[in-house]
């Protein structure tokens, strides 16, 4: 989507309001009233209603086709059944963008009707926002194209929301707190314009300093484009996302709300990490972080200083910062000396700095000034509470005074805790460009979000990695399985597929009878393991289909017959193709490498602690393919097993072999769309080398 089309949507020069009712209680009437009262030029607004001659003093046109000037944006508030005809009219008139307020589409199961809207838009090459939206507000164009009669304050946050009601209520909430926006966009069912389109626009928009998104889910196969748009945007300005629908019951609710596809939370989490998105866990965090990020400068080199007049708040703030990995700096002696001037002898110049309950407004101002002026201080959190000597207004003036004198060359986040008077002081500080919160936790988490964003911003994803494998081998095995309508490759096939792309696997071979089994066992060298070769039983231990630690020819012959008997009795329908003989590997550190296909994001690759207790340990890290070198590094460092590999209380193990396996699995998933899932578990890792002793490759059901 071109940014021009988004501009027409968010910052139009002319607007047609279709369904501009004469009845002041109807939505179409209210939209027209809001467009007019928001300050948008009256002569650029065109009501459309075939049943009215005039609404709100403006001449009405029977159809968009009749509007005498070119239209950037048509906003539609007519019943769902009428919308297709209105879109045809918009297309014929050359409208650039359309916002559909009307409900009654995908969210209630009318998928076909929604698809039809997109078809019409494609035919005429315009774009659709919605349907099922509450509207758009843009403080740059000074326009309110919604049926809610409140306007946001201007500011640097662009908010995109899949929930219309949420945006509407946030308007009141943020106005009261002095939080300002460049745009607020309700995207409803997202039939056409998506978060990715808007991210591309806001990335270039000089009025937007941070993009905040409330998301319930993306559509099938949409994930990769979102990830790329978010990654490119996050390199320039922060992107904060609140993704709801984590638990199964919440995911169900999200599906019925906007008809969005759930996708797995692991995939969203991975996407957010790979794109450099900050993931908020609550609406409070989404807004608190966005507020601070919209105002903050990049932290200077050096650590964070917490300035308080009460030990408790300092400890609370230090705790939150610590959880995020944000370090408090050691205060250098000369700075400590200067800070001493603003505290009694029992104050503390350790960090958090404690000016004590004796603190006056002048002390606060003086100490803060020292911190803002000192180049060794990277960022400052200042907390003050009601009840000490200064009043909330004096606290506010002290903070504002220090900023006025020193300027804001580094992030400063404030918190003033107390009653009603504090809330006014907070609001005034926000209006003066200083993010301020009621609680020290909120201030600390906002500062942590700033530090985290800027710490990650310079970090590129790194080069994308692809394993070069023997495609022919894999293609042949898969074609055979597809021909035979199998959902699972046999163990030997799975080993071969994994090996072809570089997963280190145990040496193994297929034997059809006992002589072949013995021959193979001798060739591999004892001890060996013997397993039934079948495409029909994924978990062989459960049917007695695998026997380990065979040390002689006679044991192999005995195991051969025992395994076949077991499988025939416990899984009588399983097709038996023989047995596999595998070299018995010494036990190493057991890891798991796997991948499955997420409906939204595509291949999702996992790495973690392997073996039988995978579910129990849940020591696993996910990333979406294609993987970059940075992704693979992080997958390993995020897990406990990764620390073990890197030599926790012992010698480091062969991390290179693990990386090779991860990249191989990711590449197989990327190149062969028919593979649905790969499980390499366990893979033994040694000081030198590794060997996967069980590999399962599942194929996707044909659609
Ligand atoms: N072109 C233009 N105007 C037309 C046309 C047409 N082809 N056909 C009819 N109209 C006029 C009607 O004459 C009427 O004007 P009038 O009152 O002066 O006669 C006006 O358009 C509205 O038509 P109605 O049939 O009266 O429709 P109504 O206003 O009852 O409902 C609406 C339309 C609001 C779009 C409704 O169908 C709807 O979808 N409501 C839900 C909206 C919503 O909640 N959106 C999601 C928000 S997100 C959230 O969570 C809050």
């Amino acid at each position: 989507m071109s940014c021009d089309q988004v501009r027409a949507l968010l910052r139009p020069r002319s607007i047609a309001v279709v369904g501009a009712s004469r009845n002041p209680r109807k939505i179409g009437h209210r939209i027209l009233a809001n467009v007019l009262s928001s300050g948008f030029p009256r002569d650029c607004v065109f009501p459309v209603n075939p049943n009215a001659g005039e609404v709100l003093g403006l001449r009405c046109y029977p159809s968009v086709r009749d509007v005498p000037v070119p239209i950037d944006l048509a906003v539609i508030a007519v019943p769902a059944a009428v919308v297709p005809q209105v879109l045809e009219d918009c297309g014929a008139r050359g409208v650039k963008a359309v916002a559909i307020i009307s409900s009654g589409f995908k969210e209630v199961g009318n998928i076909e009707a929604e698809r039809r809207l997109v078809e019409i838009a494609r035919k005429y090459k315009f774009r659709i926002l919605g349907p099922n939206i509450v509207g758009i507000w843009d403080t740059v164009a000074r326009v309110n194209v919604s049926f809610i009669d409140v306007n946001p304050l201007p500011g640097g946050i662009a908010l995109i929301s899949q929930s219309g009601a949420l945006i509407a209520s946030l308007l009141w909430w943020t106005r009261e707190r002095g939080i300002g926006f460049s745009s607020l966009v309700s995207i409803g069912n997202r039939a056409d314009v998506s978060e990715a389109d808007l991210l591309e626009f806001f990335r270039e928009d000089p009025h937007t300093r941070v993009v905040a998104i409330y998301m319930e889910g993306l559509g099938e196969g949409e994930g990769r484009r979102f990830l790329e748009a978010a990654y490119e945007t996050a390199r320039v300005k922060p992107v904060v996302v609140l993704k709801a629908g984590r638990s199964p019951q919440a995911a169900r609710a999200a599906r019925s709300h906007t008809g969005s596809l759930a996708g797995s939370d692991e995939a969203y989490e991975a996407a957010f990490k790979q794109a450099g998105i900050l993931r908020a866990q609550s609406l409070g965090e989404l807004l608190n972080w966005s507020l601070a990020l919209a105002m903050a400068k990049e932290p200077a080199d050096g650590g964070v200083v917490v300035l308080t007049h009460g030990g408790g708040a300092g400890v609370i703030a230090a705790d939150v910062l610590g959880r995020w990995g944000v370090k408090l700096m050691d205060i250098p002696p000369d700075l400590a000396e200067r800070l001493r001037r603003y505290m009694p002898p029992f104050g503390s110049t350790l960090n958090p700095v404690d000016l004590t309950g004796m603190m006056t407004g002048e002390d606060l101002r003086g100490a803060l000034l020292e911190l803002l002026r000192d180049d060794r201080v990277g960022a400052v959190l200042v907390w003050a509470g009601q009840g000490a000597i200064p009043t909330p207004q004096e606290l506010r003036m002290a903070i504002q005074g220090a900023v006025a004198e020193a300027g804001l060359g580094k992030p400063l986040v404030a918190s003033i805790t107390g009653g009603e008077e504090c809330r006014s002081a907070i609001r005034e500080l926000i209006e003066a460009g200083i993010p301020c919160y009621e609680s020290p936790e909120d201030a600390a988490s906002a500062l942590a979000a700033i530090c985290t964003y800027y710490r990650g911003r310079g970090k590129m994803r790194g080069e994308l990695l692809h394993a070069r494998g023997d495609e022919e081998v894999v293609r042949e095995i898969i074609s055979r399985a597809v021909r035979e309508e199998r959902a699972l490759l046999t163990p030997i096939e799975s080993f071969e597929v994994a090996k072809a792309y570089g997963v280190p696997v145990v040496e193994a071979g297929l034997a059809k009878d006992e002589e072949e089994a013995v021959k193979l066992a001798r060739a591999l060298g004892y001890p060996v393991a013997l397993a039934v070769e079948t495409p029909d039983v994924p978990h062989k231990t459960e049917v007695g289909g695998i026997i380990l630690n065979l040390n002689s020819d006679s044991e192999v012959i005995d195991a051969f017959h025992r395994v076949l008997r077991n499988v025939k009795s416990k899984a009588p329908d399983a097709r038996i193709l023989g047995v596999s003989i595998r070299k018995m590997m010494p036990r190493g550190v057991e890891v798991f490498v796997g991948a499955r296909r997420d409906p939204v994001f595509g291949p999702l690759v996992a790495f973690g602690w392997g073996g039988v207790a995978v579910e129990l340990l849940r020591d696993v890290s996910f990333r979406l393919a294609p993987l970059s070198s940075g992704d693979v590094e992080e997958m390993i460092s995020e897990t406990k097993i990764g620390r073990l590999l890197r030599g926790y209380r012992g010698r480091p193990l062969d991390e290179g072999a693990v990386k090779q396996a991860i990249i191989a699995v990711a590449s197989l998933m990327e190149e062969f769309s028919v593979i649905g899932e790969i499980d390499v578990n366990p893979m033994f890792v040694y000081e030198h080398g590794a060997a996967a002793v069980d590999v399962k490759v599942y194929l996707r059901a044909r659609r």
Side-chain angles (χ1 to χ4, degrees):
M1 180 177 195
S2 79
C3 281
D4 262 5
Q5 285 174 303
V6 181
R7 194 177 311 282
L9 192 63
L10 307 185
R11 303 197 176 143
R13 280 163 305 183
S14 53
I15 302 175
V17 180
V18 184
S21 167
R22 291 156 292 184
N23 180 347
R25 299 178 67 86
K26 290 210 163 183
I27 281 183
H29 184 97
R30 295 172 71 162
I31 295 171
L32 180 63
N34 290 338
V35 171
L36 293 175
S37 65
S38 55
F40 198 76
R42 207 176 155 81
D43 54 352
C44 300
V45 183
F46 303 90
V48 175
N49 183 342
N51 303 313
E54 191 186 292
V55 185
L56 287 169
L58 287 177
R59 179 186 161 189
C60 248
Y61 295 87
S63 153
V64 184
R65 292 177 197 254
D66 303 314
V67 177
V69 300
I71 293 294
D72 273 356
L73 169 66
V75 50
I76 300 180
V78 292
V82 190
V83 174
Q85 181 52 50
V86 172
L87 288 192
E88 290 283 353
D89 295 342
C90 289
R93 186 65 191 85
V95 168
K96 286 193 185 146
V98 170
I100 305 176
I101 305 285
S102 318
S103 303
F105 295 92
K106 190 172 78 180
E107 81 285 1
V108 288
N110 287 339
I111 295 168
E112 210 29 65
E114 191 161 305
R115 210 181 343 250
R116 174 93 191 94
L117 304 183
V118 179
E119 263 170 35
I120 300 172
R122 297 276 183 274
K123 182 167 82 178
Y124 291 105
K125 299 193 170 46
F126 63 80
R127 302 298 300 262
I128 293 175
L129 181 72
N132 189 30
I133 63 168
V134 67
I136 307 163
W137 292 258
D138 190 275
T139 59
V140 180
R142 291 168 57 91
V143 68
N144 170 353
V145 193
S146 83
F147 55 88
I148 311 293
D149 64 347
V150 60
N151 294 317
L153 297 171
I157 306 172
L159 176 66
I160 304 168
S161 172
Q162 282 186 16
S163 162
L166 202 64
I167 285 209
S169 49
L170 284 181
L171 278 166
W172 304 97
W173 196 88
T174 52
R175 265 194 84 91
E176 215 174 281
R177 285 161 179 77
I179 300 174
F181 295 88
S182 54
S183 285
L184 294 104
V185 191
S186 158
I187 57 172
N189 295 4
R190 325 159 57 260
D192 181 23
V193 171
S194 67
E195 290 84 349
D197 297 308
L198 296 168
L199 278 163
E200 281 162 13
F201 175 79
F202 290 128
R203 183 192 309 153
E204 307 294 331
D205 177 28
H207 306 280
T208 297
R209 298 210 52 205
V210 51
V211 185
I213 302 178
Y214 168 75
M215 174 190 287
E216 287 174 6
L218 300 172
E220 186 166 351
E222 245 192 280
R224 199 167 283 191
R225 178 160 176 244
F226 170 79
L227 197 158
E228 272 158 24
Y231 171 70
E232 291 300 337
T233 307
R235 292 180 59 193
V236 183
K237 52 187 77 167
V239 179
V240 187
V241 176
L242 171 60
K243 159 74 178 69
R246 265 197 141 149
S247 67
Q249 59 183 357
R252 244 190 337 270
R255 209 158 32 244
S256 69
H257 182 202
T258 47
S260 61
L261 198 70
S264 74
D265 195 66
E266 288 98 353
Y268 281 98
E269 184 78 27
F272 296 163
K273 283 181 184 160
Q274 284 168 279
I277 287 173
L278 295 166
R279 182 175 191 173
Q281 299 297 345
S282 65
L283 213 45
E285 283 186 351
L286 182 73
L287 290 169
N288 288 342
W289 298 356
S290 299
L291 170 68
L293 285 157
M295 292 176 171
K297 290 268 181 338
E298 181 163 357
D301 289 338
V304 167
V305 176
V306 176
L307 175 65
T308 73
H309 64 103
V315 177
I316 290 170
D319 247 352
V320 175
L321 292 167
R323 273 204 296 280
W324 283 72
V326 176
K327 287 213 170 65
L328 299 189
M329 70 182 274
D330 295 329
I331 308 275
D334 61 311
L335 177 57
E337 204 46 50
R338 277 182 279 127
L339 289 171
R340 281 237 159 263
R341 289 188 221 144
Y342 307 103
M343 62 179 75
F346 46 87
S348 171
T349 57
L350 297 175
N351 195 358
V353 175
D354 184 0
L355 301 179
T356 81
M358 306 281 287
M359 179 192 80
T360 63
E362 272 314 299
D363 292 334
L364 179 60
R365 180 191 161 103
L368 182 56
L369 199 54
E370 294 291 348
L371 297 175
L372 293 177
R373 279 182 173 155
D374 195 310
D375 288 342
R376 293 165 298 182
V377 176
V380 181
L381 187 156
V382 56
W383 177 85
Q386 198 168 10
I389 297 162
T391 63
Q393 274 305 322
E394 285 167 338
L395 293 171
R396 196 261 308 158
M397 285 188 291
I399 295 169
Q400 223 171 318
V403 169
E405 210 172 321
L408 258 189
K410 63 184 79 168
L412 169 68
V413 173
S415 164
I416 302 183
T417 308
E420 194 54 44
E421 275 179 81
C422 292
R423 281 190 276 286
S424 316
I426 290 171
R427 190 194 155 104
E428 284 167 62
L429 281 178
I430 291 173
E431 283 168 351
I434 301 165
C436 189
Y437 306 89
E438 281 190 51
S439 79
E441 292 98 316
D442 286 350
S445 93
L447 184 57
I450 294 171
C451 295
T452 305
Y453 171 70
Y454 284 101
R455 197 165 52 201
R457 188 169 77 152
K459 212 166 60 186
M460 305 281 287
R461 270 191 76 193
E463 130 200 50
L464 295 181
L465 305 170
H466 295 282
R468 240 176 256 295
D470 193 335
E471 287 170 44
E472 271 318 300
V473 168
V474 180
R475 193 160 292 131
E476 210 182 299
I477 293 173
I478 288 178
S479 309
R480 188 167 62 226
V482 169
R483 264 198 317 276
E484 293 171 13
E485 297 189 341
R486 291 197 258 131
L488 180 67
L489 300 188
T490 68
I492 292 283
E493 288 172 338
S494 298
F495 281 134
E496 279 174 18
V497 164
K499 190 172 153 197
Y501 270 67
V503 178
V505 297
V506 63
E507 280 182 77
L510 177 66
K512 298 233 189 264
D513 52 35
E514 59 176 54
E515 283 88 54
E516 273 183 19
V518 168
K519 215 162 122 194
L520 253 172
R522 285 187 187 163
L524 292 171
Y526 285 109
V528 295
L530 183 148
V532 63
E533 180 72 357
T534 169
D536 299 319
V537 183
H539 302 288
K540 289 167 188 59
T541 318
E542 288 165 16
V543 295
I546 184 157
I547 299 179
L548 307 176
N549 268 323
L550 305 172
N551 284 300
S552 65
D553 296 359
S554 59
E555 281 182 25
V556 167
I557 293 168
D558 175 58
F560 179 86
H561 295 292
R562 207 141 40 97
V563 155
L564 295 191
R565 266 199 314 278
N566 288 348
V567 177
K568 276 182 191 147
S569 80
K570 293 202 175 122
D573 297 332
R575 285 165 284 183
I576 297 175
L577 311 172
V579 298
S580 65
I581 307 292
R582 309 160 184 194
K583 195 166 171 58
M584 212 41 225
M585 298 304 292
R587 235 184 161 72
V589 165
E590 293 182 38
V591 303
F592 157 77
V593 180
R596 64 169 193 263
R597 228 165 262 284
D598 184 85
V600 173
F601 290 97
L604 177 68
V605 185
F607 164 75
W609 204 307
V612 282
V614 168
E615 290 299 325
L616 194 67
L617 294 164
R618 289 216 61 76
D619 177 39
V620 56
S621 171
F622 294 93
R623 289 293 185 277
L624 295 158
L627 301 176
S628 70
S629 44
D631 294 332
V632 179
E633 280 295 324
E634 285 172 11
M635 287 177 86
I636 295 178
S637 57
E638 272 175 19
T639 54
K640 295 191 183 92
I641 192 79
R643 287 175 63 200
L644 209 69
L645 288 178
R646 288 178 174 169
Y648 176 77
R649 294 207 178 157
R651 288 200 209 192
L653 302 175
D654 197 336
E655 192 181 324
V658 173
K659 286 182 176 165
Q660 192 180 312
I662 296 174
I663 298 161
V665 166
S667 303
L668 280 165
M669 294 295 286
E670 279 264 276
E671 276 183 43
F672 299 93
S673 58
V674 60
I675 300 181
E677 196 175 325
I678 303 178
D679 272 343
V680 178
N681 184 29
M683 182 167 89
F684 294 145
V685 188
Y686 311 109
E687 249 178 84
H688 300 288
V693 295
D694 195 4
V695 178
K696 294 185 186 77
V697 178
Y698 297 85
L699 302 183
R700 284 211 283 180
R702 264 185 293 172
R703 303 212 265 176

